[in-house]
Short mmCIF file of all heavy atoms in Angstrom, two decimals:
data_model
loop_
_atom_site.label_atom_id
_atom_site.label_comp_id
_atom_site.label_asym_id
_atom_site.label_seq_id
_atom_site.Cartn_x
_atom_site.Cartn_y
_atom_site.Cartn_z
N SER A 156 173.52 -128.14 309.66
CA SER A 156 174.73 -127.52 310.21
C SER A 156 175.23 -128.27 311.44
O SER A 156 174.46 -128.95 312.14
CB SER A 156 174.45 -126.07 310.59
OG SER A 156 173.51 -125.99 311.66
N GLU A 157 176.52 -128.16 311.70
CA GLU A 157 177.10 -128.77 312.89
C GLU A 157 176.55 -128.13 314.16
O GLU A 157 176.38 -128.80 315.18
CB GLU A 157 178.63 -128.64 312.85
CG GLU A 157 179.30 -129.47 311.77
CD GLU A 157 180.81 -129.40 311.84
OE1 GLU A 157 181.33 -128.85 312.85
OE2 GLU A 157 181.48 -129.88 310.91
N GLU A 158 176.27 -126.82 314.08
CA GLU A 158 175.72 -126.13 315.24
C GLU A 158 174.36 -126.71 315.64
O GLU A 158 174.09 -126.93 316.83
CB GLU A 158 175.57 -124.63 314.95
CG GLU A 158 176.87 -123.88 314.78
CD GLU A 158 177.46 -124.05 313.37
OE1 GLU A 158 176.83 -124.74 312.52
OE2 GLU A 158 178.55 -123.51 313.13
N TYR A 159 173.53 -126.99 314.62
CA TYR A 159 172.21 -127.55 314.90
C TYR A 159 172.35 -128.96 315.49
O TYR A 159 171.61 -129.35 316.39
CB TYR A 159 171.40 -127.60 313.61
CG TYR A 159 169.92 -127.89 313.79
CD1 TYR A 159 169.05 -126.89 314.21
CD2 TYR A 159 169.40 -129.14 313.51
CE1 TYR A 159 167.69 -127.13 314.36
CE2 TYR A 159 168.04 -129.40 313.66
CZ TYR A 159 167.19 -128.39 314.09
OH TYR A 159 165.86 -128.64 314.23
N GLU A 160 173.32 -129.69 315.00
CA GLU A 160 173.56 -131.05 315.48
C GLU A 160 173.91 -131.06 316.96
O GLU A 160 173.54 -131.98 317.70
CB GLU A 160 174.70 -131.69 314.67
CG GLU A 160 174.97 -133.14 315.01
CD GLU A 160 173.86 -134.08 314.57
OE1 GLU A 160 173.11 -133.73 313.64
OE2 GLU A 160 173.73 -135.16 315.18
N GLN A 161 174.61 -130.02 317.41
CA GLN A 161 175.06 -129.96 318.80
C GLN A 161 174.03 -129.32 319.73
O GLN A 161 174.20 -129.35 320.95
CB GLN A 161 176.37 -129.15 318.89
CG GLN A 161 177.52 -129.74 318.08
CD GLN A 161 177.85 -131.16 318.49
OE1 GLN A 161 177.86 -131.48 319.68
NE2 GLN A 161 178.12 -132.03 317.51
N MET A 162 172.97 -128.75 319.18
CA MET A 162 171.98 -128.05 320.01
C MET A 162 171.14 -129.03 320.82
O MET A 162 170.93 -130.17 320.42
CB MET A 162 171.04 -127.22 319.13
CG MET A 162 171.66 -125.99 318.52
SD MET A 162 170.42 -125.12 317.50
CE MET A 162 171.42 -123.82 316.78
N SER A 163 170.61 -128.53 321.93
CA SER A 163 169.63 -129.29 322.69
C SER A 163 168.29 -129.24 321.96
O SER A 163 168.11 -128.46 321.01
CB SER A 163 169.47 -128.70 324.09
OG SER A 163 168.89 -127.40 324.01
N ARG A 164 167.37 -130.04 322.41
CA ARG A 164 166.04 -130.06 321.79
C ARG A 164 165.39 -128.68 321.84
O ARG A 164 164.80 -128.21 320.85
CB ARG A 164 165.17 -131.08 322.52
CG ARG A 164 163.86 -131.44 321.86
CD ARG A 164 163.19 -132.55 322.65
NE ARG A 164 162.06 -133.14 321.96
CZ ARG A 164 160.83 -132.69 322.02
NH1 ARG A 164 160.56 -131.63 322.77
NH2 ARG A 164 159.85 -133.30 321.37
N GLU A 165 165.50 -128.01 322.98
CA GLU A 165 164.89 -126.69 323.15
C GLU A 165 165.56 -125.66 322.25
O GLU A 165 164.90 -124.79 321.67
CB GLU A 165 164.99 -126.25 324.62
CG GLU A 165 164.14 -127.06 325.58
CD GLU A 165 164.67 -128.47 325.81
OE1 GLU A 165 165.89 -128.69 325.57
OE2 GLU A 165 163.89 -129.35 326.22
N GLN A 166 166.88 -125.76 322.12
CA GLN A 166 167.60 -124.82 321.26
C GLN A 166 167.23 -125.04 319.79
O GLN A 166 167.11 -124.07 319.03
CB GLN A 166 169.11 -124.98 321.46
CG GLN A 166 169.62 -124.50 322.80
CD GLN A 166 171.07 -124.86 323.04
OE1 GLN A 166 171.56 -125.90 322.57
NE2 GLN A 166 171.78 -124.01 323.77
N ARG A 167 167.04 -126.30 319.41
CA ARG A 167 166.64 -126.58 318.04
C ARG A 167 165.26 -125.99 317.73
O ARG A 167 165.03 -125.42 316.66
CB ARG A 167 166.61 -128.09 317.80
CG ARG A 167 167.98 -128.74 317.71
CD ARG A 167 167.83 -130.20 317.32
NE ARG A 167 169.10 -130.84 317.13
CZ ARG A 167 169.28 -131.99 316.50
NH1 ARG A 167 168.23 -132.62 316.00
NH2 ARG A 167 170.48 -132.52 316.36
N ARG A 168 164.35 -126.18 318.67
CA ARG A 168 163.00 -125.63 318.47
C ARG A 168 163.06 -124.11 318.30
O ARG A 168 162.42 -123.55 317.39
CB ARG A 168 162.11 -125.99 319.66
CG ARG A 168 160.68 -125.48 319.52
CD ARG A 168 159.89 -125.72 320.79
NE ARG A 168 160.51 -125.06 321.92
CZ ARG A 168 160.78 -125.63 323.09
NH1 ARG A 168 160.49 -126.90 323.27
NH2 ARG A 168 161.35 -124.95 324.07
N ALA A 169 163.82 -123.45 319.16
CA ALA A 169 163.94 -121.98 319.07
C ALA A 169 164.58 -121.56 317.76
O ALA A 169 164.14 -120.58 317.12
CB ALA A 169 164.76 -121.45 320.25
N ALA A 170 165.60 -122.29 317.33
CA ALA A 170 166.27 -121.97 316.07
C ALA A 170 165.33 -122.16 314.88
O ALA A 170 165.33 -121.37 313.93
CB ALA A 170 167.52 -122.82 315.90
N ALA A 171 164.52 -123.22 314.93
CA ALA A 171 163.56 -123.49 313.85
C ALA A 171 162.52 -122.37 313.77
O ALA A 171 162.19 -121.89 312.67
CB ALA A 171 162.88 -124.83 314.07
N LEU A 172 162.00 -121.97 314.91
CA LEU A 172 161.00 -120.90 314.93
C LEU A 172 161.59 -119.58 314.45
O LEU A 172 160.94 -118.81 313.73
CB LEU A 172 160.43 -120.74 316.34
CG LEU A 172 159.51 -121.87 316.81
CD1 LEU A 172 159.21 -121.74 318.30
CD2 LEU A 172 158.22 -121.88 316.00
N ASP A 173 162.82 -119.31 314.83
CA ASP A 173 163.49 -118.08 314.39
C ASP A 173 163.69 -118.09 312.87
O ASP A 173 163.47 -117.08 312.21
CB ASP A 173 164.83 -117.95 315.11
CG ASP A 173 165.52 -116.63 314.78
OD1 ASP A 173 164.93 -115.57 315.10
OD2 ASP A 173 166.63 -116.66 314.19
N GLU A 174 164.07 -119.25 312.34
CA GLU A 174 164.28 -119.36 310.88
C GLU A 174 162.97 -119.15 310.13
O GLU A 174 162.91 -118.44 309.12
CB GLU A 174 164.87 -120.73 310.55
CG GLU A 174 165.26 -120.91 309.10
CD GLU A 174 166.41 -120.00 308.71
OE1 GLU A 174 167.45 -120.00 309.40
OE2 GLU A 174 166.25 -119.26 307.70
N LEU A 175 161.90 -119.76 310.63
CA LEU A 175 160.61 -119.62 309.97
C LEU A 175 160.05 -118.21 310.09
O LEU A 175 159.36 -117.73 309.18
CB LEU A 175 159.61 -120.63 310.56
CG LEU A 175 159.89 -122.10 310.22
CD1 LEU A 175 158.93 -123.02 310.96
CD2 LEU A 175 159.79 -122.33 308.71
N ASP A 176 160.38 -117.53 311.18
CA ASP A 176 159.97 -116.14 311.32
C ASP A 176 160.60 -115.29 310.22
O ASP A 176 159.93 -114.44 309.61
CB ASP A 176 160.37 -115.61 312.70
CG ASP A 176 159.95 -114.16 312.90
OD1 ASP A 176 158.73 -113.90 312.95
OD2 ASP A 176 160.85 -113.29 312.99
N GLY A 177 161.88 -115.55 309.95
CA GLY A 177 162.55 -114.82 308.89
C GLY A 177 161.98 -115.14 307.52
O GLY A 177 161.82 -114.25 306.67
N LEU A 178 161.64 -116.40 307.28
CA LEU A 178 161.05 -116.79 306.00
C LEU A 178 159.66 -116.19 305.83
O LEU A 178 159.25 -115.86 304.71
CB LEU A 178 160.99 -118.31 305.91
CG LEU A 178 162.34 -119.04 305.84
CD1 LEU A 178 162.14 -120.55 305.87
CD2 LEU A 178 163.10 -118.63 304.58
N ALA A 179 158.92 -116.06 306.94
CA ALA A 179 157.60 -115.44 306.87
C ALA A 179 157.72 -113.96 306.50
O ALA A 179 156.90 -113.43 305.74
CB ALA A 179 156.87 -115.61 308.21
N ARG A 180 158.74 -113.29 307.04
CA ARG A 180 158.95 -111.87 306.71
C ARG A 180 159.26 -111.70 305.22
O ARG A 180 158.94 -110.68 304.63
CB ARG A 180 160.07 -111.28 307.55
CG ARG A 180 159.71 -111.06 309.01
CD ARG A 180 160.67 -110.10 309.68
NE ARG A 180 162.04 -110.59 309.65
CZ ARG A 180 162.59 -111.36 310.57
NH1 ARG A 180 161.86 -111.72 311.63
NH2 ARG A 180 163.84 -111.76 310.48
N LYS A 181 159.87 -112.71 304.62
CA LYS A 181 160.20 -112.64 303.19
C LYS A 181 159.04 -113.09 302.31
O LYS A 181 159.13 -113.06 301.08
CB LYS A 181 161.41 -113.53 302.89
CG LYS A 181 162.69 -113.06 303.56
CD LYS A 181 163.83 -114.05 303.27
CE LYS A 181 165.12 -113.62 303.96
NZ LYS A 181 166.22 -114.60 303.72
N GLY A 182 157.95 -113.54 302.93
CA GLY A 182 156.79 -113.97 302.17
C GLY A 182 156.90 -115.37 301.61
O GLY A 182 156.11 -115.77 300.76
N LEU A 183 157.86 -116.17 302.11
CA LEU A 183 158.05 -117.53 301.61
C LEU A 183 157.24 -118.55 302.41
O LEU A 183 157.00 -119.67 301.93
CB LEU A 183 159.54 -117.90 301.67
CG LEU A 183 160.49 -116.99 300.88
CD1 LEU A 183 161.94 -117.41 301.11
CD2 LEU A 183 160.14 -117.03 299.40
N VAL A 184 156.83 -118.18 303.60
CA VAL A 184 156.07 -119.06 304.49
C VAL A 184 154.91 -118.26 305.08
O VAL A 184 155.05 -117.07 305.37
CB VAL A 184 156.99 -119.58 305.63
CG1 VAL A 184 156.17 -120.19 306.76
CG2 VAL A 184 157.97 -120.61 305.09
N ARG A 185 153.75 -118.90 305.22
CA ARG A 185 152.61 -118.22 305.84
C ARG A 185 152.80 -118.17 307.35
O ARG A 185 152.87 -119.22 308.01
CB ARG A 185 151.33 -118.97 305.52
CG ARG A 185 150.99 -119.03 304.05
CD ARG A 185 149.74 -119.84 303.85
NE ARG A 185 149.46 -120.09 302.44
CZ ARG A 185 148.55 -120.94 302.00
NH1 ARG A 185 147.82 -121.64 302.88
NH2 ARG A 185 148.34 -121.11 300.71
N ARG A 186 152.85 -116.99 307.88
CA ARG A 186 153.09 -116.84 309.31
C ARG A 186 152.01 -117.53 310.14
O ARG A 186 152.31 -118.16 311.17
CB ARG A 186 153.16 -115.35 309.69
CG ARG A 186 153.52 -115.11 311.16
CD ARG A 186 153.63 -113.62 311.45
NE ARG A 186 154.67 -113.01 310.65
CZ ARG A 186 155.97 -113.07 310.93
NH1 ARG A 186 156.37 -113.74 312.00
NH2 ARG A 186 156.85 -112.47 310.17
N SER A 187 150.76 -117.44 309.72
CA SER A 187 149.66 -118.02 310.51
C SER A 187 149.70 -119.55 310.54
O SER A 187 149.02 -120.17 311.35
CB SER A 187 148.32 -117.56 309.94
OG SER A 187 148.16 -118.04 308.61
N SER A 188 150.49 -120.16 309.66
CA SER A 188 150.52 -121.62 309.59
C SER A 188 151.58 -122.24 310.50
O SER A 188 151.57 -123.45 310.72
CB SER A 188 150.81 -122.07 308.15
OG SER A 188 152.16 -121.79 307.79
N ILE A 189 152.49 -121.44 311.03
CA ILE A 189 153.59 -121.97 311.84
C ILE A 189 153.02 -122.54 313.14
O ILE A 189 152.34 -121.86 313.90
CB ILE A 189 154.63 -120.88 312.13
CG1 ILE A 189 155.22 -120.36 310.82
CG2 ILE A 189 155.76 -121.43 313.01
CD1 ILE A 189 156.13 -119.16 310.99
N ARG A 190 153.33 -123.82 313.39
CA ARG A 190 152.74 -124.51 314.54
C ARG A 190 153.77 -125.42 315.17
O ARG A 190 154.41 -126.24 314.49
CB ARG A 190 151.53 -125.34 314.09
CG ARG A 190 150.76 -125.97 315.22
CD ARG A 190 149.61 -126.81 314.67
NE ARG A 190 148.69 -127.23 315.72
CZ ARG A 190 148.93 -128.21 316.58
NH1 ARG A 190 150.06 -128.88 316.51
NH2 ARG A 190 148.05 -128.51 317.50
N THR A 191 153.94 -125.32 316.48
CA THR A 191 154.89 -126.16 317.21
C THR A 191 154.17 -127.34 317.81
O THR A 191 153.21 -127.19 318.57
CB THR A 191 155.58 -125.36 318.34
OG1 THR A 191 156.27 -124.24 317.78
CG2 THR A 191 156.59 -126.24 319.07
N ASP A 192 154.64 -128.54 317.46
CA ASP A 192 154.12 -129.78 318.03
C ASP A 192 155.20 -130.32 318.97
O ASP A 192 156.09 -131.05 318.54
CB ASP A 192 153.80 -130.78 316.92
CG ASP A 192 153.17 -132.07 317.45
OD1 ASP A 192 153.20 -132.28 318.67
OD2 ASP A 192 152.67 -132.86 316.64
N GLU A 193 155.09 -129.94 320.23
CA GLU A 193 156.13 -130.29 321.20
C GLU A 193 156.22 -131.80 321.40
O GLU A 193 157.32 -132.36 321.49
CB GLU A 193 155.82 -129.61 322.54
CG GLU A 193 156.90 -129.78 323.59
CD GLU A 193 158.18 -129.06 323.22
OE1 GLU A 193 158.11 -127.96 322.63
OE2 GLU A 193 159.27 -129.60 323.51
N GLU A 194 155.08 -132.46 321.43
CA GLU A 194 155.07 -133.89 321.70
C GLU A 194 155.82 -134.68 320.63
O GLU A 194 156.55 -135.63 320.93
CB GLU A 194 153.63 -134.39 321.80
CG GLU A 194 153.52 -135.87 322.12
CD GLU A 194 152.09 -136.33 322.26
OE1 GLU A 194 151.18 -135.47 322.16
OE2 GLU A 194 151.87 -137.53 322.48
N ASN A 195 155.63 -134.29 319.36
CA ASN A 195 156.25 -135.03 318.27
C ASN A 195 157.52 -134.37 317.74
O ASN A 195 158.14 -134.89 316.81
CB ASN A 195 155.24 -135.18 317.12
CG ASN A 195 154.09 -136.08 317.51
OD1 ASN A 195 154.24 -137.27 317.74
ND2 ASN A 195 152.89 -135.48 317.63
N GLY A 196 157.91 -133.25 318.34
CA GLY A 196 159.18 -132.64 317.99
C GLY A 196 159.23 -132.06 316.59
O GLY A 196 160.26 -132.14 315.92
N ILE A 197 158.13 -131.44 316.15
CA ILE A 197 158.07 -130.89 314.80
C ILE A 197 157.49 -129.48 314.84
O ILE A 197 156.52 -129.21 315.55
CB ILE A 197 157.18 -131.76 313.88
CG1 ILE A 197 157.79 -133.15 313.71
CG2 ILE A 197 156.97 -131.10 312.53
CD1 ILE A 197 156.89 -134.12 312.95
#
């Protein structure tokens, strides 16, 4: 999305975590596996 393109690094990280939280609630992603690697930006 254009919005993601314009976000800062911190905003992108927050948006990614929020998206994965929603996917975990739907059972598409394992909540316990979500891991933020700040150094490598993933």
Side-chain angles (χ1 to χ4, degrees):
S156 66
E157 291 185 10
E158 292 81 1
Y159 192 78
E160 184 69 24
Q161 300 302 319
M162 288 180 185
S163 67
R164 192 175 191 273
E165 292 72 22
Q166 290 172 328
R167 287 186 176 197
R168 181 187 60 230
L172 289 170
D173 185 61
E174 186 66 52
L175 291 174
D176 181 67
L178 293 175
R180 287 198 300 270
K181 295 177 181 178
L183 302 176
V184 165
R185 298 178 188 169
R186 184 177 299 280
S187 63
S188 71
I189 300 173
R190 187 182 191 283
T191 301
D192 184 348
E193 186 67 36
E194 182 178 357
N195 293 293
I197 296 173

